[in-house]
Amino acid sequence: MSRDAGSPVSDAIDTAPPAGGRFVVGNAWDALDGVWPDLPPLVSVVVVHYRQQAELDRTLAALARQSYPAERLEVIVVDDGSPTPPTVPEGVRLIVQEDLGFRLSAARNVGVTASSGSVLCFVDADTSPEPDYVLRLTRLPALAPEAVTVGQRKHADFAGVLGGDGGVGGGVAVPVPVSEPVEVAGPSHELEQPRWLQQAYGWSADLLHADDRSYRHLIGAVTCCTRWFFDQVGGFDESFTSYGGEDWEWAHRAWLAGGVFAHVPGAVAWHDGPDWAGRATGAGGASAGSADSADPADSAPSAASAVAREDQEARRQAEKNGETLRLADLIAVRGSRGFGVRSRAVDVCVDLVAAVGTSISAGAAFVAVDSVLAAMPDVTVVVPDDVAPVFEADQRVRGRSSDAAAAALAGARVVVTLDGPVRVLPAVEAGGSDDARVQALAAAVGLGNDDARDLRTATDAVGVGSLGTLELADPSGRVLVTVESRRAALRARRWGAGVAFVSHRASVDWLTPVAGEPSVAAYLGGWG
């Protein structure tokens, strides 16, 4: 179940969906609103632990109080090498893995391997679910096997270390008793929730309108999916050996594999302590060296405290930057990757295909590939092997038989297929002229499709919402380019073509076939 960074998403096992499973169009999980499975599936809850016995006790007590049928629920605790293994109640399975550093991904994978449920819930030891959590979070995956649901993670000061009720008594932390139900203790000791995450769930209608960057809204400690889909995606990336990022990397692969993302606000779990941003100062109140002090003698401690806080914040920011840079290399979608620096992962792959029994000349291939890269410099292009030497100096262009080409075609978010050499015409500059584009514009029909106004717009449009494939045709109706999302391609293999995503054909003015043997000099010089 392990996986290393850089492996293409095509490593997923391509098996048929479970019998009785349903599909939805695009990400429209609301089509299943109000529907419940006839038989509750066997659910495996994988709880990862490291040196948090008190928090684990609270979480296991909360799992024991679930409204989900007890005989259909199993709990597996995976300890990541704590100096002293945790104790768990009877009926909970404990697995201890060797202490080889931070191995959250490996622990989750070990838990899945040991589980027997058809639906998987991932919970951290310090995240305690309310009674209806499992029931609500597993509903969609039990119906639609591609569904990946995320609960609502709230935050509370169960340890009593951040002030408030737990801070009374001479400054001694007073933990909330494990016996107090989390649905009561949570609201009584609630901390501020991450505003950015709540806003994201709001504008996306609980991820109904998810897009290629919605992986950021899936939190590993409150995530659920089917075991079948987990196998399709592949396990958590075990090369993540420090805090953060492994859940977003997995979620992005899940999206590419055709996942249906849904936030379930009624599935509430309480995290003991603030979110990452709230841990910078480690408190909810003023520090001992507060700037409010009027005593000059306090100035030195205040200055020292300020420097210490700045150093701590700088270290935390460096850690966060490390996570962001790692993800930028693995998740190549815009908004996640660099603006100029290329990622290891391929976002869009353009495939130049010759018709059966024909070949593409070096000149025609150059015009086609150069015009594509001029329009989208960040894509990877696959060309027939016989013209690959023309592009030897450009690492963005790969011969079809190379391993790099196979990986790009298999793992890209979008594949753009050129039916023979096709030139992408540049946009008309204000006050300028481009005879080829003007001529094409004059003959074009059916214009005005926002999804097909240029190549980048087309690649951004597919795979989001219900549109899976976009065919771009010339004014005569001949399809020159097909833009297909990986999500749509995988869904078509599982459920049939044109079912889980729709396709659309648009007539465009900015594509033209490269006929015969073109004049490369005229193309480069701008007169043809």
Side-chain angles (χ1 to χ4, degrees):
M1 196 66 65
S2 64
R3 180 185 183 277
D4 292 327
S7 300
V9 72
S10 62
D11 285 349
I13 303 169
D14 195 6
T15 59
R22 312 182 191 192
F23 67 85
V24 299
V25 178
N27 202 64
W29 49 259
D30 59 338
L32 297 175
D33 278 353
V35 181
W36 289 85
D38 296 330
L39 177 67
L42 178 60
V43 174
S44 297
V45 181
V46 177
V47 183
V48 177
H49 168 270
Y50 180 72
R51 301 181 67 175
Q52 293 176 301
Q53 182 68 63
E55 292 90 339
L56 178 63
D57 290 343
R58 189 185 311 279
T59 296
L60 294 181
L63 287 170
R65 296 179 57 249
Q66 291 296 298
S67 61
Y68 200 81
E71 68 278 7
R72 306 293 294 167
L73 184 66
E74 71 171 2
V75 178
I76 299 172
V77 174
V78 183
D79 177 67
D80 189 18
S82 298
T84 301
T87 59
V88 300
E90 185 177 354
V92 174
R93 183 174 179 184
L94 174 63
I95 301 173
V96 177
Q97 68 177 13
E98 186 180 359
D99 183 11
L100 297 177
F102 184 92
R103 292 198 296 154
L104 175 59
S105 291
R108 285 178 177 155
N109 291 341
V110 166
V112 171
T113 300
S115 69
S116 54
S118 61
V119 175
L120 306 169
C121 284
F122 297 99
V123 175
D124 287 352
D126 59 2
T127 306
S128 304
E130 292 191 358
D132 288 339
Y133 177 84
V134 172
L135 182 69
R136 293 177 182 274
L137 199 62
T138 60
R139 182 188 69 86
L140 271 175
L143 297 168
E146 293 162 319
V148 180
T149 53
V150 57
Q152 181 173 189
R153 185 176 70 169
K154 294 187 175 183
H155 298 265
D157 182 19
F158 291 141
V161 297
L162 301 180
D165 293 342
V168 298
V172 177
V174 180
V176 177
V178 171
S179 59
E180 186 172 349
V182 294
E183 67 273 21
V184 175
S188 298
H189 301 81
E190 188 167 2
L191 301 173
E192 185 178 1
Q193 309 304 318
R195 194 167 303 171
W196 69 272
L197 190 57
Q198 299 308 310
Q199 290 174 341
Y201 293 146
W203 63 251
S204 67
D206 289 323
L207 298 182
L208 180 64
H209 308 302
D211 59 27
D212 296 315
R213 291 200 72 216
S214 293
Y215 67 85
R216 300 170 299 129
H217 309 140
L218 268 71
I219 308 301
V222 284
T223 298
C224 173
C225 66
T226 61
R227 185 190 184 95
W228 169 81
F229 192 62
F230 186 84
D231 288 341
Q232 296 291 301
V233 177
F236 287 93
D237 188 338
E238 296 184 12
S239 68
F240 280 81
T241 54
S242 59
Y243 176 81
E246 83 295 324
D247 50 354
W248 286 2
E249 190 277 335
W250 184 89
H252 177 65
R253 275 188 286 129
W255 178 257
L256 294 184
V260 176
F261 285 4
H263 174 235
V264 185
V268 177
W270 290 89
H271 178 267
D272 189 0
D275 73 316
W276 185 89
R279 298 171 206 165
T281 59
S287 64
S290 172
D292 293 336
S293 173
D295 188 345
D298 289 338
S299 61
S302 296
S305 297
V307 171
R309 285 196 300 271
E310 290 176 1
D311 287 346
Q312 180 189 39
E313 183 58 31
R315 288 194 299 271
R316 283 169 46 79
Q317 188 60 61
E319 292 173 359
K320 188 64 177 178
N321 286 344
E323 174 190 326
T324 302
L325 291 172
R326 179 85 187 280
L327 292 174
D329 194 37
L330 299 174
I331 300 176
V333 298
R334 284 196 295 165
S336 297
R337 68 175 185 253
F339 295 103
V341 175
R342 298 206 66 176
S343 302
R344 181 186 343 181
V346 174
D347 184 46
V348 176
C349 182
V350 177
D351 190 15
L352 174 57
V353 178
V356 177
T358 66
S359 61
I360 299 174
S361 71
F366 180 87
V367 170
V369 172
D370 185 71
S371 70
V372 166
L373 290 175
M376 294 185 68
D378 49 355
V379 303
T380 293
V381 183
V382 174
V383 298
D385 288 331
D386 56 346
V387 296
V390 174
F391 310 99
E392 187 174 3
D394 195 327
Q395 293 301 303
R396 295 172 296 178
V397 186
R398 305 288 186 172
R400 185 172 312 283
S401 63
S402 67
D403 291 341
L409 288 168
R413 176 182 61 88
V414 174
V415 172
V416 178
T417 303
L418 307 186
D419 185 13
V422 176
R423 179 180 173 185
V424 180
L425 300 172
V428 177
E429 296 181 5
S433 64
D434 183 323
D435 290 342
R437 184 170 173 88
V438 171
Q439 292 172 10
L441 180 62
V445 295
L447 301 181
N449 189 320
D450 286 342
D451 291 337
R453 61 179 180 266
D454 55 44
L455 188 58
R456 188 177 294 282
T457 302
T459 60
D460 286 346
V462 295
V464 179
S466 62
L467 181 63
T469 304
L470 189 56
E471 295 179 332
L472 305 176
D474 65 11
S476 71
R478 175 191 167 189
V479 175
L480 302 176
V481 172
T482 301
V483 182
E484 183 177 41
S485 76
R486 176 167 176 75
R487 286 165 52 72
L490 286 173
R491 292 272 198 93
R493 294 216 296 263
R494 293 169 189 155
W495 307 103
V499 174
F501 276 100
V502 300
S503 60
H504 178 66
R505 180 175 295 182
S507 180
V508 299
D509 67 293
W510 45 269
L511 292 174
T512 185
V514 180
E517 183 64 39
S519 169
V520 177
Y523 164 75
L524 294 176
W527 64 80

